Amino acid sequence: MSNGRIPDDVIDAVLKAHDIVEVVGRHVHLTKQGRYLKGLCPFHSEKTPSFTVSPERQTFHCFGCGAGGSAIRFISEIEGLSFGQALRKLAEEAKLSVSLGGDGTERSEPRENPERARLQAGYELADKLYQYILHNTEQGKVAKEYLKQRGIDDKLMEAFGIGYAPDRWDTLVKLLDKNQFPLTLMEQGGLISAKQDGSGYVDKFRDRVMFPIKDWKGQTIAFGGRIMGQGQPKYMNSPESMLFHKSRILYNLHAARPQIRKTQELVLFEGYMDVMRSWDAGVHNGVATMGTALTQEHAEAIRRLAERVIIAYDGDGAGQTAAYKSIPILENAGCQVRVAVLPGGLDPDEFIAKHGSERFVREVVEAAVPSIKYKLLYYRRNYRMQEDGERLRYIQQALRMIAGLVSPIEREHYVKDITSEFRYSFETAMQTVNEIRLQAEKSDSGGDNKPNPWNNVRNDAKPREKTPKIIPAYQFAERQLLAVMMLDRDVAQYVERRLGDGFILDVHTAIAAGLYAYYGQGYEPNVSMFIGTLQDDKLESLASSLTLIDHRGGVNEAVIDDYIREIKKYPLMQELEQKREWVKQAEREGDIPRAVQLLSEIISLEKQLKSS
């Protein structure tokens, strides 16, 4: 099965090279319970383990959040990678040489673009050059001394791969040319610049401390260069290229990822120095937007890795405004947001230099305030609080913001804060908040019919109470049938002949089609490999849940026929119900001939149901 997807034999080779218990065990503490291993799910918060790993079938499934699949899908979810990236990672770990290309025309991800690969190699060479110059030449001594004055010691320089671009026009150009790198491509990729007269090329970065920017694999794809003396721009990043997209890349994400996953918390900084100094202070889950505004792409990448975000931007006016603007972007992506408040207009780097690492962690990172608290502080700057009229306007603005909170406890807490500080009546303030909420509800014609109904005012951030419902007979039959089909090729082929694509639920039809194709390729039953071939997180999750249905004792042919019969009955029953409604309508309209005809059809359908 290629069809524009990663070939099945590649998936099979990677899965055979890894035991899912070992793969999952790097991230989750597992305890053996019978045939399964259980632990706390790494994808959502829980106190009672609902995350299950099956060593026998090499799959995982969480009964809490529904995540599930093979070892490849686990790495994809836990590290925020695409399916292809996760497969490559596991292949590299097993020292497997795999091609994702299939027949060369249909593939899940394009083969490595030779120009992209060459540009990547150019960046890696430049990275080594800049580091060598910093640590081993006279030219690098001034830059090294500058870094040490900024609190960056040799250990940090090496950990973050910091280098130095010398104050010369063509150091990198000569090295690239000597190593036969196409200079036109290197210029297009942002490593060097073309001379204005068209006579050749010059280095893009000169007399700057160089910070390599890396992708998820830890490969250098761009640079940030900082000038050491006076001049503009203070920081200069590589331009956009086939390797580097500013709206998607977060500085240091490759190194911070393990700690972010472990804590489900990410600290968001503005610049390289902040990340490095905080890393040295013990904050190993910090990343930076590199001076660019936070984008929706950034926020989505963050949410795939972490539930909670602490914004630790500079304490000056620009930093506070940037933090304020970042809050809704992160919250819309589903993150819980807090904001670190830095006093005196300091940035994190400056605070650490002035007050030390321990105070930074305790008084800035750990003391970060909830987003609503920060918004109240931010808006407060716009009012002259010593004037009665301005103070009243601020209180009214604050109560409008508090009214938008979904949690009653949070609303009460912040109203108490406001009324206590300004000596207003708590009851009057709460009445105002409730009136604002009531007016908002009246204005909201959409009501609860929203994509996330648990995340609005009326539901107070809670999902609607659901009455436990009995699974329809046809749905139960489909699940049981698919569970057996994944373990028995003969049953799958029998179902294909008798039922084909007659499954009622679309997702069940998709899994059945995948099984037909899988066995059609000549593969033997292998649950983990089959699930891997689906290459769709929702289908993999569903299929992994089906593997937990116990059919080890086997299912006889009569039971299989019963399941098929139940599925085939459903469309007939739906049609029967529809015709009965039409009979009632015809009788109301006095259309006796149509009612008689429909009754005849109903009798025929009832006979079919009895004989099926």
Side-chain angles (χ1 to χ4, degrees):
M1 283 190 296
S2 60
N3 297 326
R5 300 146 69 85
I6 298 171
D8 296 346
D9 58 342
V10 173
I11 295 169
D12 186 32
V14 170
L15 290 174
K16 283 180 178 176
H18 291 275
D19 179 4
I20 195 167
V21 176
E22 187 273 329
V23 172
V24 173
R26 301 176 207 165
H27 305 271
V28 180
H29 176 68
L30 296 171
T31 304
K32 188 168 180 59
Q33 292 189 12
R35 294 165 41 235
Y36 302 107
L37 292 102
K38 290 197 171 183
L40 293 173
C41 180
F43 305 121
H44 79 289
S45 299
E46 62 177 8
K47 294 181 180 179
T48 304
S50 61
F51 183 86
T52 303
V53 175
S54 169
E56 177 186 350
R57 295 172 182 172
Q58 290 291 296
T59 59
F60 75 93
H61 184 77
C62 176
F63 290 97
C65 66
S70 66
I72 300 171
R73 179 59 61 187
F74 180 82
I75 291 297
S76 169
E77 294 294 325
I78 201 75
E79 299 199 14
L81 309 176
S82 70
F83 186 89
Q85 289 170 340
L87 182 140
R88 280 198 184 97
K89 179 179 174 68
L90 289 173
E92 289 169 4
E93 286 180 8
K95 295 185 169 45
L96 294 176
S97 176
V98 298
S99 167
L100 302 185
D103 61 5
T105 58
E106 296 180 338
R107 50 190 178 269
S108 170
E109 296 185 1
R111 289 185 185 278
E112 186 71 75
N113 182 324
E115 289 190 345
R116 191 182 192 281
R118 198 62 178 147
L119 181 59
Q120 174 76 73
Y123 268 98
E124 294 291 343
L125 180 63
D127 192 359
K128 292 176 183 176
L129 170 67
Y130 295 144
Q131 289 189 59
Y132 177 84
I133 292 173
L134 177 69
H135 294 290
N136 301 284
T137 71
E138 286 294 321
Q139 300 160 299
K141 285 185 176 179
V142 174
K144 202 165 188 179
E145 184 59 33
Y146 164 80
L147 287 165
K148 288 184 176 179
Q149 289 174 359
R150 294 291 303 271
I152 308 295
D153 59 19
D154 285 344
K155 184 179 177 182
L156 269 183
M157 291 180 209
E158 291 181 10
F160 285 86
I162 302 173
Y164 172 66
D167 191 13
R168 295 184 179 178
W169 287 99
D170 59 358
T171 304
L172 179 58
V173 168
K174 285 181 177 178
L175 182 65
L176 291 169
D177 193 36
K178 179 182 177 182
N179 286 274
Q180 300 182 339
F181 282 86
L183 298 185
T184 302
L185 175 63
M186 299 299 107
E187 188 267 334
Q188 292 171 352
L191 262 180
I192 57 178
S193 299
K195 291 182 180 179
Q196 290 185 351
D197 62 6
S199 62
Y201 300 92
V202 295
D203 292 359
K204 180 175 286 293
F205 295 95
R206 299 185 299 279
D207 194 24
R208 287 179 180 268
V209 173
M210 301 296 287
F211 302 93
I213 300 167
K214 299 178 182 288
D215 65 9
W216 65 275
K217 299 182 199 174
Q219 295 178 327
T220 302
I221 57 172
F223 289 104
R226 192 196 194 285
I227 199 166
M228 292 181 292
Q230 299 300 314
Q232 291 295 328
K234 182 168 71 171
Y235 280 100
M236 183 171 75
N237 287 335
S238 296
E240 296 263 326
S241 71
M242 64 180 79
L243 299 177
F244 179 50
H245 303 281
K246 294 178 187 177
S247 64
R248 303 177 197 166
I249 298 295
L250 290 163
Y251 178 71
N252 195 49
L253 185 59
H254 70 289
R257 190 192 303 271
Q259 185 67 11
I260 293 169
R261 274 297 188 191
K262 182 179 178 181
T263 62
Q264 280 298 294
E265 187 169 83
L266 176 148
V267 183
L268 185 63
F269 297 100
E270 284 190 277
Y272 315 109
M273 287 290 190
D274 297 334
V275 170
M276 287 185 288
R277 292 300 302 278
S278 66
W279 182 282
D280 198 37
V283 180
H284 292 171
N285 55 342
V287 302
T289 52
M290 300 177 290
T292 61
L294 184 78
T295 66
Q296 191 61 43
E297 290 92 338
H298 285 143
E300 288 170 359
I302 287 169
R303 183 62 189 92
R304 286 196 293 269
L305 292 168
E307 292 179 1
R308 301 178 300 280
V309 178
I310 296 173
I311 301 173
Y313 286 176
D314 296 354
D316 59 12
Q320 290 179 46
T321 299
Y324 174 79
K325 290 180 178 178
S326 297
I327 290 170
I329 298 173
L330 290 164
E331 289 184 335
N332 288 340
C335 299
Q336 300 170 27
V337 181
R338 290 187 294 149
V339 183
V341 180
L342 284 120
L346 298 176
D347 61 32
D349 176 24
E350 292 167 339
F351 186 97
I352 293 170
K354 185 174 181 179
H355 301 293
S357 299
E358 186 179 337
R359 282 188 62 183
F360 175 72
V361 174
R362 185 180 68 250
E363 297 179 14
V364 176
V365 177
E366 292 179 353
V369 300
S371 60
I372 181 63
K373 180 73 172 177
Y374 182 80
K375 289 178 184 178
L376 292 170
L377 292 171
Y378 181 81
Y379 268 105
R380 191 169 181 150
R381 305 179 314 162
N382 301 322
Y383 297 90
R384 297 184 295 277
M385 302 302 290
Q386 68 276 16
E387 298 179 13
D388 287 346
E390 287 283 287
R391 190 162 58 247
L392 183 59
R393 285 180 56 220
Y394 167 72
I395 293 170
Q396 291 171 335
Q397 172 70 29
L399 293 178
R400 280 194 292 272
M401 292 175 64
I402 293 168
L405 294 173
V406 294
S407 166
I409 294 175
E410 282 189 274
R411 292 197 297 271
E412 185 173 321
H413 172 79
Y414 288 109
V415 169
K416 279 182 179 177
D417 271 1
I418 292 288
T419 56
S420 174
E421 179 181 1
F422 296 105
R423 298 181 182 178
Y424 278 90
S425 164
F426 172 76
E427 290 74 18
T428 302
M430 280 304 299
Q431 181 180 346
T432 301
V433 167
N434 291 332
E435 287 173 356
I436 293 169
R437 289 172 58 76
L438 184 61
Q439 186 59 44
E441 287 186 13
K442 288 179 179 178
S443 302
D444 184 6
S445 59
D448 274 352
N449 295 322
K450 297 180 179 181
N452 296 315
W454 57 89
N455 192 25
N456 64 49
V457 171
R458 295 187 186 184
N459 284 327
D460 288 335
K462 298 176 183 176
R464 295 189 189 91
E465 292 295 325
K466 291 184 179 179
T467 304
K469 62 179 182 179
I470 299 173
I471 296 176
Y474 76 86
Q475 189 174 336
F476 175 82
E478 290 185 348
R479 287 178 59 83
Q480 296 292 319
L481 207 51
L482 289 169
V484 179
M485 290 164 65
M486 284 196 286
L487 300 174
D488 192 320
R489 180 171 59 183
D490 290 339
V491 169
Q493 291 173 341
Y494 179 77
V495 172
E496 184 176 12
R497 292 193 300 271
R498 291 285 313 279
L499 186 63
D501 63 355
F503 287 82
I504 307 303
L505 294 182
D506 290 342
V507 286
H508 290 168
T509 303
I511 291 176
L515 281 165
Y516 300 153
Y518 177 79
Y519 289 129
Q521 294 278 333
Y523 291 111
E524 293 297 320
N526 182 320
V527 170
S528 179
M529 181 189 166
F530 166 68
I531 290 176
T533 66
L534 294 172
Q535 298 180 43
D536 178 281
D537 56 350
K538 291 181 180 178
L539 291 181
E540 288 183 41
S541 175
L542 173 59
S544 69
S545 72
L546 298 177
T547 66
L548 301 177
I549 297 174
D550 192 354
H551 283 308
R552 285 180 300 159
V555 177
N556 61 42
E557 188 173 323
V559 173
I560 297 296
D561 284 337
D562 284 343
Y563 290 152
I564 293 173
R565 190 177 302 110
E566 195 63 51
I567 296 166
K568 286 183 173 181
K569 276 170 53 178
Y570 182 75
L572 294 175
M573 291 172 67
Q574 290 291 95
E575 187 179 355
L576 186 61
E577 186 176 336
Q578 181 68 70
K579 288 185 183 295
R580 284 171 176 159
E581 286 297 317
W582 288 345
V583 167
K584 292 178 183 177
Q585 183 180 346
E587 288 174 345
R588 285 195 299 268
E589 295 173 354
D591 191 345
I592 304 304
R594 175 166 169 71
V596 171
Q597 175 61 36
L598 286 168
L599 286 169
S600 174
E601 293 173 6
I602 287 171
I603 293 169
S604 177
L605 281 172
E606 288 174 338
K607 287 180 180 178
Q608 287 184 53
L609 281 169
K610 286 180 182 178
S611 62
S612 63

